[in-house]
Amino acid sequence: MDERLRAAYLATDYRVRLPQGGVARLRIGAPPPGALLALTHGVPWAVITAWNPQSQPVPRARNRSAQRALLAELRASPDVRAIRAAAGVGADGWREPSLLAIGLDADAARVLCSRYGQLAFVAGVGEAPPQLHWTKAAP
């Protein structure tokens, strides 16, 4: 496991855009904010992306195309109750568009993330702290 990459994922601030404006800020291992709990109503959720497969930068057009395909898959999933815009923001200012999929459990998120070449994703359920999950593609 690449410890620098692991540390970067753990230090990322995961931000979910709220319907009423503003953001809910998620940190791995910290209690989820009340605004997230109000959105998810105790069902599983995952913050996922199709940007930068294998944590390697790719052209913006390719990232956008992959993200649109991921969004279409989430919209077609019978388990996904709602989707919210999100972003991962690194301590050094790095930013990656993401999606909060409400109703998507960690097993289903792992399948999707693996399909899009992602190394990891964040998932949770209820009041449990968000957890970092590695895909099988992880180093």
Side-chain angles (χ1 to χ4, degrees):
M1 166 82 50
D2 181 334
E3 285 305 314
R4 279 185 52 206
L5 184 60
R6 182 178 182 279
Y9 276 108
L10 292 173
T12 297
D13 185 27
Y14 298 91
R15 300 176 186 174
V16 175
R17 191 172 303 152
L18 298 171
Q20 67 273 21
V23 295
R25 298 175 71 165
L26 310 174
R27 297 301 297 229
I28 294 168
L36 180 75
L37 296 174
L39 274 178
T40 60
H41 302 288
V43 301
W45 55 266
V47 175
I48 63 176
T49 188
W51 280 64
N52 301 319
Q54 302 301 309
S55 293
Q56 297 297 315
V58 300
R60 188 174 185 87
R62 196 161 122 202
N63 279 329
R64 284 183 173 173
S65 177
Q67 192 80 340
R68 282 191 299 272
L70 174 60
L71 179 59
E73 284 197 61
L74 290 171
R75 286 179 173 157
S77 172
D79 295 328
V80 175
R81 298 178 182 191
I83 303 164
R84 301 291 316 158
V89 180
D92 62 357
W94 161 89
R95 184 178 186 86
E96 187 171 79
S98 301
L99 300 163
L100 170 73
I102 300 169
L104 190 70
D105 67 24
D107 291 336
R110 183 172 286 104
V111 169
L112 276 175
C113 289
S114 294
R115 187 176 304 145
Y116 286 90
Q118 299 301 305
L119 298 178
F121 62 94
V122 176
V125 62
E127 294 183 14
Q131 297 296 311
L132 179 65
H133 295 264
W134 295 98
T135 66
K136 290 183 181 175

